Amino acid sequence: MAVKISKVDVWAGPIVDEPGGLAAKLRAVAKAGAKLEFLVARRAPDKPGKGVVFIAPLKPGKQARAGAEVGLAKAKGMHSLRLSLPDKAGLGARITRALADANINLRGLSAAAIGKQCVVYFAFDTAAAANKAAKILKKTLAGR
């Protein structure tokens, strides 16, 4: 599998920190046909009883409307990239070092390796940073 870098819209919204709080959001987008590739949910330690969920992708139309109906929206000010490639020891260190050396600050990073494949989601504060990061990642990973 080749290295694949793509821009992605991450959707976010509040969840109630109780049994079923997350399930309600996911059920709504699932009923609309969403096939999620990315999901992060966590409590908001500074807001007792509240949490936040981040998901991707939601397609325009039915899926986006379903997300909006349950309080999800495209994450404002979050410019995201999805990187998929074969996993390799030290990959996380290599790509984060390349971004740091290019003076690119990460807003967030989530990654998982399953078998021999790896998927990384990056979040940046600006579109310019995401575009610069995509170029750096392509150069860094060329000819792995």
Side-chain angles (χ1 to χ4, degrees), residues 57-128:
L58 288 184
K59 293 180 181 176
K62 186 178 180 181
Q63 293 177 18
R65 284 191 303 275
E69 288 172 6
V70 294
L72 301 175
K74 288 182 186 177
K76 293 180 182 178
M78 183 185 298
H79 303 272
S80 300
L81 296 175
R82 179 186 187 275
L83 170 66
S84 60
L85 69 168
D87 191 26
K88 187 174 182 181
L91 178 63
R94 183 174 174 200
I95 59 179
T96 56
R97 174 53 28 205
L99 295 174
D101 289 348
N103 202 34
I104 300 171
N105 193 32
L106 290 169
R107 177 176 176 162
L109 184 148
S110 297
I114 300 174
K116 296 181 180 183
Q117 298 304 313
C118 176
V119 177
V120 184
Y121 277 80
F122 299 89
F124 304 93
D125 290 321
T126 66

Side-chain angles (χ1 to χ4, degrees), residues 24-36 55 58 62-64 66-68 70 72:
K25 307 285 183 179
L26 297 181
R27 181 175 184 208
V29 297
K31 286 175 78 174
K35 181 181 174 193
L36 300 179
I55 63 172
L58 288 184
K62 186 178 180 181
Q63 293 177 18
V70 294
L72 301 175

